[in-house]
Amino acid sequence: MEKLLRSKVFIWTLLILPGLWPVVPLLQHDPTFGADPLKYILHHLGFIACVLLAAVLALTPLRVIFPKSKLALALNRHRRLIGVSAFVYAALHLATHLVYEGGFGVLVSDVKKPFLLTGLIAFTILLVLAVTSLHRLVRALGAKHWKLLHRLAYVAAALAAYHQSAARKIFPVQVLWIFVPLALLELARLVITRRQRNRVLTPSGAARTG
Amino acid sequence: MNIRTPKNWELSESAVTTESIYRLRNRRDFLKTLGVGLAGATLDPRALLAATAGFPDKENPLYPASALKPTAYEYVTSYNNFYEFGTGKDDPAVYANKGWKTDPWTVELAGLIRAPGKFDVNDLIKKLGGIEQRVYRHRCVEAWSMVVPWDGFPLAKLVTLADPMPEAKYVKFTSFLDPKSAVGQQDSYLGWPYVEGLRMDEATHELAFIATGIYGKTLPNQNGAPLRLVTPWKYGFKGIKSIVKIEFTDKEPYNTWQRLAPNEYGFYANVNPQVDHPRWSQGSERVIGGGIFSGRQTTLMFNGYEKQVAGLYKGLDLSKNF
């Protein structure tokens, strides 16, 4: 299992397959899909982008909560790949949206609507984070700045959660399935790191973990 | 295709019938492959449907299919908003056909009228002189649209039968409540049963229609069998499904979506490309069944029925009364 999770090919496959899912209703001649295929694809791509964003953010807390787990460690090797693929799906989602709306016109006239604005800001953040994931830029920024900048991913996640829930007439429960586990993991991580920090601080008074 | 044109309604009716039979078989095959299975004749969805009176009916030449391009039967019956059976567009076609009975069906006329009473749906249809076919545009508040060949009767006929008193200013429609059969009603978020309303002049307008069928056939459960309101100049959510009570009142009915989100949905629900939904534009719409590369179509004022209904709203600020 650990070996499988370390494998790049396996993770690549896991990341690409969900994008191909709309082929299933297409081949089944599912009339609900056929009624407006583009809407299905639009929602589907946005959904995957949200799932991957939540997944990549969950990796660090998983490693902190289960420091001895080799699986958590193996998954953490793929953080950049998963993060960048969240951006790619978000980009495909935005591109589909532009086709769906028939160009940039509606995007420009509707940008003041919180539903669209949150989506666009979240996308812009993911774009910046994807670009600054290039080796050269990571080095140029320096670890400290890079880390600070990439904390914006949490802002993107919060915006994406709002954006996703505003897409339907009724609050869609799937938003909770995607983002509540992440929130819980982050909470657990905060508690653990605080405890560790206190432990380190009390005896010597000097050592600090970054 | 070789087309002779004797009379408009004759041609479209024959075209419609063949297609609907073909489509229905397709849909059932599809359900079977899903394993939802309509095994045996007793589970044939048509056997569970109530309003069978009046078929076959004829197209009203004022609202012909030839003027519009009807959306395929399989899309009209598989892309539904009927939250009583789930919030997915594909949910109603499955969950409304799992034993929920729309036969027999009784509808109650009540309130400020001289002829209150409870009626069996088929008796009511016969009393009102049968049904007719009308092809209407259908525009959902979610910015998509269809063209539906409805079968049914003008709501005005039913109002006449009810014989309202002068104090009656509004008509309040109430849908069924049966959480045992309707899985969506097991969640209480919407505040069941679904309620809608019309002003009296809207209810007696020639366009206001009660559907008992589509495509010349009994209304499928997922489309709101056996009685469903159709007001083509208003957003689809005004078209309350599976009506059990029609009440005449002097107070404006507080409809379900308005109660749920008053800043997004109002009492009037008139299709209006100038008044956006807070979250999306209403200026254009996706046409159902158009495929991936069909563009959007401009949304028309009152969904293209401006000439007929604009007079109802003279002097009313439509941006406030949305």
Side-chain angles (χ1 to χ4, degrees):
Chain A
M1 183 67 178
E2 185 208 341
K3 211 172 168 191
L4 194 64
L5 288 183
R6 285 170 70 95
S7 145
K8 275 217 156 128
V9 177
F10 178 69
I11 298 295
W12 269 96
T13 314
L14 273 190
L15 291 173
I16 290 171
L17 274 183
L20 301 176
W21 175 256
V23 173
V24 175
L26 179 77
L27 293 179
Q28 281 183 330
H29 298 288
D30 178 344
T32 309
F33 170 81
D36 195 356
L38 206 55
K39 188 180 199 171
Y40 182 102
I41 293 167
L42 175 72
H43 285 170
H44 182 69
L45 292 170
F47 169 75
I48 302 174
C50 284
V51 169
L52 290 179
L53 181 58
V56 74
L57 286 175
L59 292 180
T60 307
L62 276 178
R63 201 190 55 204
V64 172
I65 299 166
F66 307 105
K68 284 182 189 133
S69 161
K70 287 196 169 144
L71 298 182
L73 212 62
L75 280 172
N76 266 275
R77 291 161 56 93
H78 307 295
R79 277 187 1 182
R80 179 163 65 177
L81 179 59
I82 299 172
V84 170
S85 60
F87 158 72
V88 170
Y89 276 110
L92 290 171
H93 170 69
L94 177 60
T96 310
H97 173 79
L98 291 176
V99 179
Y100 186 81
E101 296 288 352
F104 284 92
V106 176
L107 194 67
V108 172
S109 66
D110 278 9
V111 77
K112 54 192 179 294
K113 291 188 164 61
F115 166 51
L116 274 180
L117 193 60
T118 48
L120 269 180
I121 297 174
F123 169 76
T124 310
I125 291 175
L126 292 184
L127 172 70
V128 171
L129 302 193
V131 170
T132 54
S133 290
L134 294 165
H135 277 303
R136 209 183 300 161
L137 281 171
V138 178
R139 235 171 288 140
L141 273 169
K144 204 173 153 193
H145 289 124
W146 188 89
K147 205 168 173 181
L148 208 64
L149 180 68
H150 279 243
R151 290 231 166 103
L152 281 176
Y154 296 107
V155 179
L159 293 172
Y162 171 82
H163 175 71
Q164 197 188 12
S165 58
R168 308 285 171 106
K169 285 213 300 263
I170 289 277
F171 179 83
V173 187
Q174 60 177 13
V175 178
L176 299 180
W177 288 115
I178 297 171
F179 291 101
V180 168
L182 173 65
L184 293 177
L185 284 172
E186 291 294 351
L187 210 66
R189 193 242 304 237
L190 279 179
V191 172
I192 290 171
T193 45
R194 177 154 297 184
R195 251 191 231 155
Q196 281 170 348
R197 194 171 294 171
N198 287 346
R199 216 176 294 151
V200 176
L201 274 177
T202 6
S204 70
R208 262 200 133 180
T209 47
Chain B
M1 205 163 49
N2 221 348
I3 303 174
R4 291 172 298 116
T5 42
K7 268 179 195 147
N8 264 345
W9 60 262
E10 244 178 288
L11 169 76
S12 48
E13 195 187 24
S14 63
V16 153
T17 310
T18 12
E19 185 182 6
S20 71
I21 290 165
Y22 161 70
R23 296 292 184 185
L24 188 66
R25 196 182 299 128
N26 249 3
R27 187 175 71 83
R28 290 167 69 194
D29 287 347
F30 163 68
L31 289 176
K32 252 182 239 163
T33 57
L34 263 189
V36 180
L38 300 166
T42 47
L43 274 175
D44 186 321
R46 285 165 300 179
L48 299 168
L49 306 175
T52 49
F55 293 102
D57 55 335
K58 283 188 178 161
E59 188 175 83
N60 181 331
L62 289 172
Y63 313 98
S66 53
L68 300 159
K69 194 172 165 275
T71 306
Y73 183 90
E74 63 179 328
Y75 296 144
V76 178
T77 54
S78 61
Y79 195 78
N80 307 104
N81 276 331
F82 198 177
Y83 285 12
E84 281 81 344
F85 296 97
T87 53
K89 297 272 187 294
D90 50 348
D91 286 336
V94 177
Y95 297 107
N97 291 302
K98 283 196 164 179
W100 173 51
K101 280 200 170 169
T102 50
D103 180 25
W105 192 274
T106 308
V107 59
E108 185 185 356
L109 301 183
L112 304 167
I113 50 174
R114 293 188 187 88
K118 291 185 174 179
F119 300 87
D120 171 77
V121 167
N122 287 315
D123 292 346
L124 185 68
I125 292 168
K126 282 174 210 152
K127 223 177 199 139
L128 296 174
I131 55 174
E132 62 181 58
Q133 192 165 85
R134 292 184 180 194
V135 182
Y136 279 160
R137 264 186 283 267
H138 177 84
R139 170 63 156 78
C140 179
V141 76
E142 296 166 0
W144 54 263
S145 70
M146 291 180 178
V147 170
V148 185
W150 300 104
D151 305 86
F153 52 84
L155 177 56
K157 279 193 184 177
L158 192 132
V159 173
T160 308
L161 178 81
D163 197 3
M165 300 172 196
E167 305 92 275
K169 298 280 184 270
Y170 297 92
V171 186
K172 178 185 171 190
F173 301 86
T174 307
S175 188
F176 76 105
L177 180 65
D178 180 8
K180 259 188 206 157
S181 306
V183 281
Q185 289 187 339
Q186 288 164 16
D187 284 326
S188 58
Y189 64 93
L190 217 96
W192 311 107
Y194 197 90
V195 168
E196 260 304 343
L198 291 173
R199 235 166 47 186
M200 193 60 110
D201 57 345
E202 295 176 321
T204 50
H205 190 276
E206 54 164 324
L207 283 174
F209 199 64
I210 296 285
T212 63
I214 51 167
Y215 267 96
K217 302 220 167 256
T218 299
L219 201 62
N221 281 355
Q222 63 266 33
N223 293 84
L227 290 179
R228 176 230 170 104
L229 178 63
V230 180
T231 42
W233 72 96
K234 293 175 180 287
Y235 290 120
F237 70 84
K238 181 63 66 178
I240 182 171
K241 300 182 174 86
S242 308
I243 300 164
V244 296
K245 192 172 179 185
I246 300 172
E247 202 178 344
F248 294 74
T249 97
D250 53 357
K251 281 190 248 3
E252 184 180 288
Y254 201 33
N255 50 324
T256 297
W257 280 102
Q258 190 187 1
R259 186 168 44 70
L260 227 65
N263 59 325
E264 300 189 350
Y265 314 100
F267 170 74
Y268 285 95
N270 288 324
V271 176
N272 189 340
Q274 265 103 54
V275 178
D276 273 359
H277 187 280
R279 285 178 276 154
W280 54 79
S281 161
Q282 295 290 24
S284 63
E285 64 210 33
R286 296 274 306 175
V287 179
I288 294 305
I292 289 186
F293 300 107
S294 76
R296 297 176 82 86
Q297 139 183 322
T298 305
T299 294
L300 302 169
M301 188 63 201
F302 295 114
N303 201 23
Y305 299 97
E306 188 173 8
K307 220 190 270 174
Q308 292 96 318
V309 300
L312 293 173
Y313 308 106
K314 262 197 191 122
L316 194 71
D317 183 349
L318 294 175
S319 62
K320 280 186 189 130
N321 299 281
F322 50 84

